Amino acid sequence: MRFRSRITGTGSYVPEQVLTNFDLEKRVDTTDEWITERTGIKERRIAGEETTSDLCLEASKRALQAAGVKPGEVDLIIVATMSGDMPMPSTASILHKKLCAKNSGAFDVNAACSGFLYGLSVADNFIRSGAMKRILLVGAEVMSRFVDWQDRSTCVLFGDGAGAVVLERTRGQRGILSTHLYSDGNMWDYICLPGGGASHPPTAKTVKDKMHVVKMKGNETFKVAVRTLEKLVTDTLKENNIRPSELAMIIPHQANLRIIKATAERLHMPMSKVAVNVDRYGNTSSASIPIALDEVVREERIKKDDYVLLEAFGAGLTWASALIKW
Ligand code: COA
């Protein structure tokens, strides 16, 4: 039988500092009522001195401990992030040093909010091919340093955090059954951070023009997200010959509770089978799925042999899914 990859350990970490909707009411023209009703978010975490690799480190230690794997036993470290410590080197390389890992490779994946599932697909394929045995995959963001704290349409949405998984080679029936990656670059400008790259290298003008913060066409993105995710989840189940009623849990990217509910309704899934943490952490981009996964694992809401569906949508535009037999 061919190789498969299985998640053998999960871990997550969020910074201590809590920023509530009421705190935001004092900064911008918004209300707790508007944010709660339009997004489902009540509060989010904000990194103080910590960097993205610091968040990665804490989440990774917990995932490695849960898997019973030492950093030196990992073949590859992948960090999914769009808010890494610096453009070069990768945050994965900085994490490599902080973890005292040994001969593993290390690189970052950037597919914005879909980043963790893109990373999962890469890791799964390295293991399936037989090239690697153990991979540490982390989704981590310090979004709070890349939002305009005067723009009420974006600053209320995002938060900081990290989640990690250890994937190991297996030959059994359990593990990652399939991963699915998509994008449509025609809508790249729906969500972007235009400054700081080769198109607009940092200058006093790019700073003055606020080009180093997230810009989003929220309403347009919302409509595409709902439509796209509906098709994504039904196609993923169809390809695996699984009925929605056979799913034990959906772990969606946490951008907006209305989007999460719309996808659950499409599958006739009760919200008790849907992982939600957007109320507590906001949109933590590539960290949101691994944080939510770690929570449901530690709360024992999924058990051996359960079917679990992961799905995400984000800048690019990108979208992705994974079906797991736990
Ligand atoms: N507080 C109060 N009012 C606000 C506000 C805030 N924080 N942010 C925006 N508004 C106002 C707008 O100015 C607008 O006012 P107007 O009608 O006078 O122009 C009104 O609320 C409606 O704005 P709109 O952008 O249409 O709201 P919305 O219902 O689409 O909700 C989002 C905004 C961002 C919450 C929602 O569009 C969304 O979640 N989009 C998708 C995000 C996503 O999935 N991203 C992908 C992953 S990152």
Side-chain angles (χ1 to χ4, degrees):
M1 186 199 266
R2 290 171 47 211
F3 295 127
R4 225 187 250 299
S5 75
R6 195 164 76 77
I7 294 174
T8 54
T10 65
S12 61
Y13 174 78
V14 289
E16 254 175 51
Q17 193 191 331
V18 176
L19 184 72
T20 67
N21 292 350
F22 297 105
D23 296 328
L24 282 166
E25 285 184 356
K26 293 176 203 143
R27 289 194 187 194
V28 286
D29 181 15
T30 192
T31 59
D32 169 58
E33 194 189 354
W34 191 94
I35 303 171
T36 307
E37 199 179 288
R38 306 311 291 163
T39 71
I41 301 167
K42 297 297 288 182
E43 57 186 45
R44 67 290 289 143
R45 299 299 179 98
I46 305 293
E49 296 290 302
E50 292 162 309
T51 67
T52 308
S53 63
D54 293 327
L55 272 51
C56 287
L57 178 65
E58 294 308 318
S60 299
K61 281 190 203 160
R62 292 171 193 188
L64 288 164
Q65 193 189 28
V69 169
K70 294 190 186 71
E73 295 171 334
V74 164
D75 299 321
L76 177 65
I77 299 173
I78 304 176
V79 174
T81 188
M82 61 168 163
S83 56
D85 285 9
M86 51 188 88
M88 183 181 72
S90 69
T91 299
S93 290
I94 299 169
L95 175 63
H96 188 283
K97 174 188 158 65
K98 289 186 176 174
L99 271 175
C100 301
K102 293 211 174 94
N103 291 317
S104 58
F107 63 86
D108 289 357
V109 166
N110 178 355
C113 298
S114 309
F116 179 78
L117 293 186
Y118 268 67
L120 190 72
S121 184
V122 172
D124 179 49
N125 279 292
F126 269 125
I127 290 177
R128 272 175 193 266
S129 72
M132 294 192 182
K133 280 190 184 157
R134 270 185 215 95
I135 298 180
L136 172 66
L137 167 65
V138 194
E141 306 284 2
V142 179
M143 294 302 295
S144 61
R145 295 195 191 133
F146 299 93
V147 295
D148 177 358
W149 287 102
Q150 287 163 348
D151 174 10
R152 67 176 183 176
S153 69
T154 49
C155 77
V156 304
L157 303 174
F158 295 98
D160 303 337
V165 297
V166 175
L167 288 134
E168 296 191 74
R169 186 195 278 181
T170 170
R171 279 182 188 272
Q173 296 298 319
R174 295 165 62 205
I176 303 198
L177 301 184
S178 69
T179 57
H180 309 264
L181 309 182
Y182 305 93
S183 74
D184 186 346
N186 290 309
M187 290 174 276
W188 71 264
D189 61 340
Y190 277 32
I191 318 169
C192 63
L193 197 159
S199 301
H200 303 286
T203 61
K205 187 171 180 332
T206 61
V207 173
K208 188 169 158 280
D209 291 347
K210 296 192 171 180
M211 292 178 77
H212 299 278
V213 290
V214 172
K215 315 275 177 195
M216 184 161 79
K217 297 181 184 176
N219 198 265
E220 290 89 328
T221 307
F222 184 93
K223 288 177 197 150
V224 183
V226 171
R227 207 172 49 233
T228 307
L229 288 170
E230 278 188 8
K231 180 164 163 40
L232 175 69
V233 293
T234 45
D235 286 356
T236 304
L237 294 182
K238 243 185 235 159
E239 273 194 42
N240 286 280
N241 272 323
I242 305 264
R243 290 187 306 276
S245 58
E246 291 177 84
L247 278 179
M249 182 73 80
I250 307 184
I251 304 184
H253 168 51
Q254 311 279 316
N256 186 316
L257 189 60
R258 289 188 289 146
I259 299 177
I260 294 172
K261 282 185 172 164
T263 311
E265 271 167 28
R266 181 77 177 86
L267 294 178
H268 305 290
M269 290 279 286
M271 285 304 287
S272 58
K273 288 184 171 186
V274 182
V276 174
N277 66 26
V278 69
D279 52 331
R280 286 168 288 138
Y281 304 138
N283 180 351
T284 55
S285 188
S286 37
S288 85
I289 289 179
I291 293 174
L293 176 64
D294 184 46
E295 287 179 342
V296 301
V297 168
R298 286 174 196 266
E299 288 162 10
E300 298 181 359
R301 290 172 69 192
I302 49 178
K303 52 184 194 313
K304 191 170 169 276
D305 293 331
D306 275 351
Y307 287 115
V308 182
L309 177 65
L310 278 45
E311 44 95 345
F313 183 89
L317 296 174
T318 55
W319 57 100
S321 63
L323 187 71
I324 301 176
K325 189 174 168 78
W326 195 255

PDB file of all heavy atoms in Angstrom, residues 91-120:
ATOM      1  N   THR A  91      10.705  32.772   7.738  1.00  0.00           N
ATOM      2  CA  THR A  91      10.395  32.603   9.161  1.00  0.00           C
ATOM      3  C   THR A  91      10.672  31.163   9.571  1.00  0.00           C
ATOM      4  O   THR A  91      11.061  30.891  10.704  1.00  0.00           O
ATOM      5  CB  THR A  91       8.928  33.008   9.407  1.00  0.00           C
ATOM      6  OG1 THR A  91       8.808  34.389   9.032  1.00  0.00           O
ATOM      7  CG2 THR A  91       8.529  32.855  10.859  1.00  0.00           C
ATOM      8  N   ALA A  92      10.523  30.221   8.629  1.00  0.00           N
ATOM      9  CA  ALA A  92      10.824  28.813   8.917  1.00  0.00           C
ATOM     10  C   ALA A  92      12.295  28.640   9.296  1.00  0.00           C
ATOM     11  O   ALA A  92      12.627  27.845  10.180  1.00  0.00           O
ATOM     12  CB  ALA A  92      10.477  27.943   7.707  1.00  0.00           C
ATOM     13  N   SER A  93      13.189  29.402   8.643  1.00  0.00           N
ATOM     14  CA  SER A  93      14.620  29.298   8.980  1.00  0.00           C
ATOM     15  C   SER A  93      14.891  29.847  10.375  1.00  0.00           C
ATOM     16  O   SER A  93      15.698  29.292  11.129  1.00  0.00           O
ATOM     17  CB  SER A  93      15.465  30.071   7.959  1.00  0.00           C
ATOM     18  OG  SER A  93      15.443  29.397   6.721  1.00  0.00           O
ATOM     19  N   ILE A  94      14.203  30.943  10.724  1.00  0.00           N
ATOM     20  CA  ILE A  94      14.389  31.521  12.061  1.00  0.00           C
ATOM     21  C   ILE A  94      13.833  30.553  13.117  1.00  0.00           C
ATOM     22  O   ILE A  94      14.437  30.337  14.170  1.00  0.00           O
ATOM     23  CB  ILE A  94      13.722  32.920  12.135  1.00  0.00           C
ATOM     24  CG1 ILE A  94      14.397  33.848  11.110  1.00  0.00           C
ATOM     25  CG2 ILE A  94      13.834  33.498  13.541  1.00  0.00           C
ATOM     26  CD1 ILE A  94      13.698  35.172  10.884  1.00  0.00           C
ATOM     27  N   LEU A  95      12.694  29.919  12.784  1.00  0.00           N
ATOM     28  CA  LEU A  95      12.123  28.914  13.688  1.00  0.00           C
ATOM     29  C   LEU A  95      13.077  27.722  13.829  1.00  0.00           C
ATOM     30  O   LEU A  95      13.242  27.176  14.928  1.00  0.00           O
ATOM     31  CB  LEU A  95      10.755  28.454  13.149  1.00  0.00           C
ATOM     32  CG  LEU A  95      10.087  27.320  13.927  1.00  0.00           C
ATOM     33  CD1 LEU A  95       9.762  27.740  15.362  1.00  0.00           C
ATOM     34  CD2 LEU A  95       8.810  26.856  13.216  1.00  0.00           C
ATOM     35  N   HIS A  96      13.715  27.335  12.726  1.00  0.00           N
ATOM     36  CA  HIS A  96      14.684  26.234  12.724  1.00  0.00           C
ATOM     37  C   HIS A  96      15.738  26.471  13.796  1.00  0.00           C
ATOM     38  O   HIS A  96      16.050  25.594  14.608  1.00  0.00           O
ATOM     39  CB  HIS A  96      15.312  26.159  11.329  1.00  0.00           C
ATOM     40  CG  HIS A  96      16.187  24.972  11.076  1.00  0.00           C
ATOM     41  ND1 HIS A  96      17.462  24.878  11.567  1.00  0.00           N
ATOM     42  CD2 HIS A  96      15.951  23.829  10.370  1.00  0.00           C
ATOM     43  CE1 HIS A  96      17.992  23.726  11.171  1.00  0.00           C
ATOM     44  NE2 HIS A  96      17.083  23.070  10.449  1.00  0.00           N
ATOM     45  N   LYS A  97      16.278  27.701  13.836  1.00  0.00           N
ATOM     46  CA  LYS A  97      17.299  28.042  14.845  1.00  0.00           C
ATOM     47  C   LYS A  97      16.689  27.997  16.248  1.00  0.00           C
ATOM     48  O   LYS A  97      17.248  27.418  17.169  1.00  0.00           O
ATOM     49  CB  LYS A  97      17.870  29.435  14.567  1.00  0.00           C
ATOM     50  CG  LYS A  97      18.832  29.913  15.648  1.00  0.00           C
ATOM     51  CD  LYS A  97      19.216  31.360  15.441  1.00  0.00           C
ATOM     52  CE  LYS A  97      19.718  32.024  16.723  1.00  0.00           C
ATOM     53  NZ  LYS A  97      20.944  31.507  17.266  1.00  0.00           N
ATOM     54  N   LYS A  98      15.509  28.635  16.410  1.00  0.00           N
ATOM     55  CA  LYS A  98      14.912  28.729  17.749  1.00  0.00           C
ATOM     56  C   LYS A  98      14.560  27.350  18.314  1.00  0.00           C
ATOM     57  O   LYS A  98      14.579  27.145  19.515  1.00  0.00           O
ATOM     58  CB  LYS A  98      13.673  29.631  17.715  1.00  0.00           C
ATOM     59  CG  LYS A  98      14.049  31.101  17.511  1.00  0.00           C
ATOM     60  CD  LYS A  98      12.863  32.041  17.610  1.00  0.00           C
ATOM     61  CE  LYS A  98      13.377  33.488  17.494  1.00  0.00           C
ATOM     62  NZ  LYS A  98      12.308  34.479  17.444  1.00  0.00           N
ATOM     63  N   LEU A  99      14.224  26.421  17.429  1.00  0.00           N
ATOM     64  CA  LEU A  99      13.847  25.063  17.864  1.00  0.00           C
ATOM     65  C   LEU A  99      15.079  24.173  18.074  1.00  0.00           C
ATOM     66  O   LEU A  99      14.949  23.074  18.586  1.00  0.00           O
ATOM     67  CB  LEU A  99      12.990  24.388  16.789  1.00  0.00           C
ATOM     68  CG  LEU A  99      11.486  24.559  16.810  1.00  0.00           C
ATOM     69  CD1 LEU A  99      10.885  23.903  15.570  1.00  0.00           C
ATOM     70  CD2 LEU A  99      10.859  23.969  18.064  1.00  0.00           C
ATOM     71  N   CYS A 100      16.271  24.667  17.630  1.00  0.00           N
ATOM     72  CA  CYS A 100      17.480  23.841  17.602  1.00  0.00           C
ATOM     73  C   CYS A 100      17.235  22.583  16.772  1.00  0.00           C
ATOM     74  O   CYS A 100      17.584  21.458  17.177  1.00  0.00           O
ATOM     75  CB  CYS A 100      17.943  23.462  19.002  1.00  0.00           C
ATOM     76  SG  CYS A 100      18.290  24.876  20.022  1.00  0.00           S
ATOM     77  N   ALA A 101      16.580  22.761  15.628  1.00  0.00           N
ATOM     78  CA  ALA A 101      16.359  21.630  14.718  1.00  0.00           C
ATOM     79  C   ALA A 101      17.701  21.267  14.078  1.00  0.00           C
ATOM     80  O   ALA A 101      18.659  22.042  14.180  1.00  0.00           O
ATOM     81  CB  ALA A 101      15.347  22.015  13.649  1.00  0.00           C
ATOM     82  N   LYS A 102      17.769  20.086  13.442  1.00  0.00           N
ATOM     83  CA  LYS A 102      19.083  19.681  12.916  1.00  0.00           C
ATOM     84  C   LYS A 102      19.155  19.815  11.397  1.00  0.00           C
ATOM     85  O   LYS A 102      19.309  20.902  10.882  1.00  0.00           O
ATOM     86  CB  LYS A 102      19.408  18.268  13.383  1.00  0.00           C
ATOM     87  CG  LYS A 102      19.614  18.221  14.900  1.00  0.00           C
ATOM     88  CD  LYS A 102      20.611  17.153  15.305  1.00  0.00           C
ATOM     89  CE  LYS A 102      20.905  17.233  16.790  1.00  0.00           C
ATOM     90  NZ  LYS A 102      20.057  16.331  17.585  1.00  0.00           N
ATOM     91  N   ASN A 103      19.006  18.708  10.692  1.00  0.00           N
ATOM     92  CA  ASN A 103      19.263  18.751   9.247  1.00  0.00           C
ATOM     93  C   ASN A 103      18.040  19.007   8.396  1.00  0.00           C
ATOM     94  O   ASN A 103      18.061  18.795   7.197  1.00  0.00           O
ATOM     95  CB  ASN A 103      19.905  17.426   8.812  1.00  0.00           C
ATOM     96  CG  ASN A 103      21.300  17.320   9.380  1.00  0.00           C
ATOM     97  OD1 ASN A 103      22.042  18.300   9.360  1.00  0.00           O
ATOM     98  ND2 ASN A 103      21.639  16.169   9.903  1.00  0.00           N
ATOM     99  N   SER A 104      16.966  19.464   9.006  1.00  0.00           N
ATOM    100  CA  SER A 104      15.737  19.609   8.222  1.00  0.00           C
ATOM    101  C   SER A 104      15.819  20.785   7.250  1.00  0.00           C
ATOM    102  O   SER A 104      16.522  21.769   7.507  1.00  0.00           O
ATOM    103  CB  SER A 104      14.559  19.810   9.158  1.00  0.00           C
ATOM    104  OG  SER A 104      14.774  20.940   9.953  1.00  0.00           O
ATOM    105  N   GLY A 105      15.065  20.695   6.151  1.00  0.00           N
ATOM    106  CA  GLY A 105      14.870  21.845   5.285  1.00  0.00           C
ATOM    107  C   GLY A 105      13.901  22.813   5.948  1.00  0.00           C
ATOM    108  O   GLY A 105      13.215  22.459   6.913  1.00  0.00           O
ATOM    109  N   ALA A 106      13.850  24.045   5.442  1.00  0.00           N
ATOM    110  CA  ALA A 106      12.942  25.033   6.031  1.00  0.00           C
ATOM    111  C   ALA A 106      12.563  26.059   4.984  1.00  0.00           C
ATOM    112  O   ALA A 106      13.443  26.597   4.297  1.00  0.00           O
ATOM    113  CB  ALA A 106      13.621  25.731   7.213  1.00  0.00           C
ATOM    114  N   PHE A 107      11.258  26.280   4.812  1.00  0.00           N
ATOM    115  CA  PHE A 107      10.826  27.365   3.921  1.00  0.00           C
ATOM    116  C   PHE A 107       9.420  27.824   4.299  1.00  0.00           C
ATOM    117  O   PHE A 107       8.705  27.125   5.019  1.00  0.00           O
ATOM    118  CB  PHE A 107      10.880  26.945   2.442  1.00  0.00           C
ATOM    119  CG  PHE A 107       9.973  25.809   2.044  1.00  0.00           C
ATOM    120  CD1 PHE A 107       8.649  26.029   1.687  1.00  0.00           C
ATOM    121  CD2 PHE A 107      10.461  24.510   2.016  1.00  0.00           C
ATOM    122  CE1 PHE A 107       7.821  24.980   1.308  1.00  0.00           C
ATOM    123  CE2 PHE A 107       9.644  23.444   1.639  1.00  0.00           C
ATOM    124  CZ  PHE A 107       8.315  23.679   1.288  1.00  0.00           C
ATOM    125  N   ASP A 108       9.063  29.019   3.791  1.00  0.00           N
ATOM    126  CA  ASP A 108       7.730  29.573   4.049  1.00  0.00           C
ATOM    127  C   ASP A 108       6.825  29.341   2.842  1.00  0.00           C
ATOM    128  O   ASP A 108       7.296  29.263   1.700  1.00  0.00           O
ATOM    129  CB  ASP A 108       7.804  31.089   4.276  1.00  0.00           C
ATOM    130  CG  ASP A 108       8.453  31.466   5.598  1.00  0.00           C
ATOM    131  OD1 ASP A 108       8.798  30.553   6.359  1.00  0.00           O
ATOM    132  OD2 ASP A 108       8.611  32.679   5.847  1.00  0.00           O
ATOM    133  N   VAL A 109       5.533  29.281   3.117  1.00  0.00           N
ATOM    134  CA  VAL A 109       4.505  29.230   2.078  1.00  0.00           C
ATOM    135  C   VAL A 109       3.632  30.452   2.285  1.00  0.00           C
ATOM    136  O   VAL A 109       3.234  30.740   3.416  1.00  0.00           O
ATOM    137  CB  VAL A 109       3.638  27.959   2.240  1.00  0.00           C
ATOM    138  CG1 VAL A 109       2.379  28.048   1.398  1.00  0.00           C
ATOM    139  CG2 VAL A 109       4.419  26.721   1.872  1.00  0.00           C
ATOM    140  N   ASN A 110       3.342  31.184   1.201  1.00  0.00           N
ATOM    141  CA  ASN A 110       2.433  32.323   1.339  1.00  0.00           C
ATOM    142  C   ASN A 110       1.249  32.144   0.407  1.00  0.00           C
ATOM    143  O   ASN A 110       1.380  32.309  -0.801  1.00  0.00           O
ATOM    144  CB  ASN A 110       3.169  33.633   1.028  1.00  0.00           C
ATOM    145  CG  ASN A 110       2.245  34.838   1.120  1.00  0.00           C
ATOM    146  OD1 ASN A 110       1.026  34.704   1.318  1.00  0.00           O
ATOM    147  ND2 ASN A 110       2.811  36.027   0.978  1.00  0.00           N
ATOM    148  N   ALA A 111       0.128  31.762   0.961  1.00  0.00           N
ATOM    149  CA  ALA A 111      -1.124  31.756   0.201  1.00  0.00           C
ATOM    150  C   ALA A 111      -2.176  32.465   1.058  1.00  0.00           C
ATOM    151  O   ALA A 111      -3.348  32.078   1.070  1.00  0.00           O
ATOM    152  CB  ALA A 111      -1.550  30.337  -0.149  1.00  0.00           C
ATOM    153  N   ALA A 112      -1.708  33.474   1.804  1.00  0.00           N
ATOM    154  CA  ALA A 112      -2.570  34.289   2.676  1.00  0.00           C
ATOM    155  C   ALA A 112      -3.412  33.378   3.578  1.00  0.00           C
ATOM    156  O   ALA A 112      -2.874  32.438   4.154  1.00  0.00           O
ATOM    157  CB  ALA A 112      -3.396  35.243   1.835  1.00  0.00           C
ATOM    158  N   CYS A 113      -4.719  33.638   3.661  1.00  0.00           N
ATOM    159  CA  CYS A 113      -5.547  32.886   4.620  1.00  0.00           C
ATOM    160  C   CYS A 113      -5.669  31.407   4.262  1.00  0.00           C
ATOM    161  O   CYS A 113      -6.053  30.593   5.102  1.00  0.00           O
ATOM    162  CB  CYS A 113      -6.927  33.519   4.746  1.00  0.00           C
ATOM    163  SG  CYS A 113      -6.851  35.194   5.379  1.00  0.00           S
ATOM    164  N   SER A 114      -5.357  31.035   3.022  1.00  0.00           N
ATOM    165  CA  SER A 114      -5.374  29.618   2.638  1.00  0.00           C
ATOM    166  C   SER A 114      -4.020  28.959   2.903  1.00  0.00           C
ATOM    167  O   SER A 114      -3.833  27.778   2.593  1.00  0.00           O
ATOM    168  CB  SER A 114      -5.700  29.468   1.146  1.00  0.00           C
ATOM    169  OG  SER A 114      -6.853  30.188   0.800  1.00  0.00           O
ATOM    170  N   GLY A 115      -3.073  29.705   3.442  1.00  0.00           N
ATOM    171  CA  GLY A 115      -1.683  29.261   3.552  1.00  0.00           C
ATOM    172  C   GLY A 115      -1.500  27.933   4.271  1.00  0.00           C
ATOM    173  O   GLY A 115      -0.699  27.097   3.836  1.00  0.00           O
ATOM    174  N   PHE A 116      -2.225  27.742   5.370  1.00  0.00           N
ATOM    175  CA  PHE A 116      -2.021  26.496   6.114  1.00  0.00           C
ATOM    176  C   PHE A 116      -2.404  25.295   5.256  1.00  0.00           C
ATOM    177  O   PHE A 116      -1.701  24.281   5.241  1.00  0.00           O
ATOM    178  CB  PHE A 116      -2.828  26.500   7.420  1.00  0.00           C
ATOM    179  CG  PHE A 116      -2.665  25.220   8.194  1.00  0.00           C
ATOM    180  CD1 PHE A 116      -1.525  24.987   8.950  1.00  0.00           C
ATOM    181  CD2 PHE A 116      -3.638  24.227   8.138  1.00  0.00           C
ATOM    182  CE1 PHE A 116      -1.345  23.780   9.632  1.00  0.00           C
ATOM    183  CE2 PHE A 116      -3.474  23.028   8.818  1.00  0.00           C
ATOM    184  CZ  PHE A 116      -2.328  22.794   9.571  1.00  0.00           C
ATOM    185  N   LEU A 117      -3.504  25.394   4.517  1.00  0.00           N
ATOM    186  CA  LEU A 117      -3.925  24.236   3.705  1.00  0.00           C
ATOM    187  C   LEU A 117      -3.006  24.043   2.496  1.00  0.00           C
ATOM    188  O   LEU A 117      -2.779  22.904   2.068  1.00  0.00           O
ATOM    189  CB  LEU A 117      -5.392  24.367   3.291  1.00  0.00           C
ATOM    190  CG  LEU A 117      -6.381  24.287   4.460  1.00  0.00           C
ATOM    191  CD1 LEU A 117      -7.821  24.288   3.958  1.00  0.00           C
ATOM    192  CD2 LEU A 117      -6.135  23.058   5.322  1.00  0.00           C
ATOM    193  N   TYR A 118      -2.454  25.128   1.955  1.00  0.00           N
ATOM    194  CA  TYR A 118      -1.435  24.980   0.905  1.00  0.00           C
ATOM    195  C   TYR A 118      -0.215  24.249   1.497  1.00  0.00           C
ATOM    196  O   TYR A 118       0.338  23.334   0.884  1.00  0.00           O
ATOM    197  CB  TYR A 118      -1.023  26.350   0.349  1.00  0.00           C
ATOM    198  CG  TYR A 118      -1.836  26.785  -0.856  1.00  0.00           C
ATOM    199  CD1 TYR A 118      -3.189  27.085  -0.740  1.00  0.00           C
ATOM    200  CD2 TYR A 118      -1.246  26.878  -2.114  1.00  0.00           C
ATOM    201  CE1 TYR A 118      -3.931  27.475  -1.845  1.00  0.00           C
ATOM    202  CE2 TYR A 118      -1.978  27.273  -3.228  1.00  0.00           C
ATOM    203  CZ  TYR A 118      -3.324  27.562  -3.092  1.00  0.00           C
ATOM    204  OH  TYR A 118      -4.054  27.946  -4.187  1.00  0.00           O
ATOM    205  N   GLY A 119       0.195  24.653   2.699  1.00  0.00           N
ATOM    206  CA  GLY A 119       1.335  24.002   3.368  1.00  0.00           C
ATOM    207  C   GLY A 119       1.037  22.538   3.647  1.00  0.00           C
ATOM    208  O   GLY A 119       1.911  21.670   3.490  1.00  0.00           O
ATOM    209  N   LEU A 120      -0.208  22.266   4.050  1.00  0.00           N
ATOM    210  CA  LEU A 120      -0.605  20.884   4.352  1.00  0.00           C
ATOM    211  C   LEU A 120      -0.507  20.014   3.096  1.00  0.00           C
ATOM    212  O   LEU A 120      -0.064  18.868   3.141  1.00  0.00           O
ATOM    213  CB  LEU A 120      -2.036  20.867   4.894  1.00  0.00           C
ATOM    214  CG  LEU A 120      -2.516  19.542   5.482  1.00  0.00           C
ATOM    215  CD1 LEU A 120      -1.846  19.267   6.826  1.00  0.00           C
ATOM    216  CD2 LEU A 120      -4.031  19.547   5.673  1.00  0.00           C
TER     217      LEU A 120
END
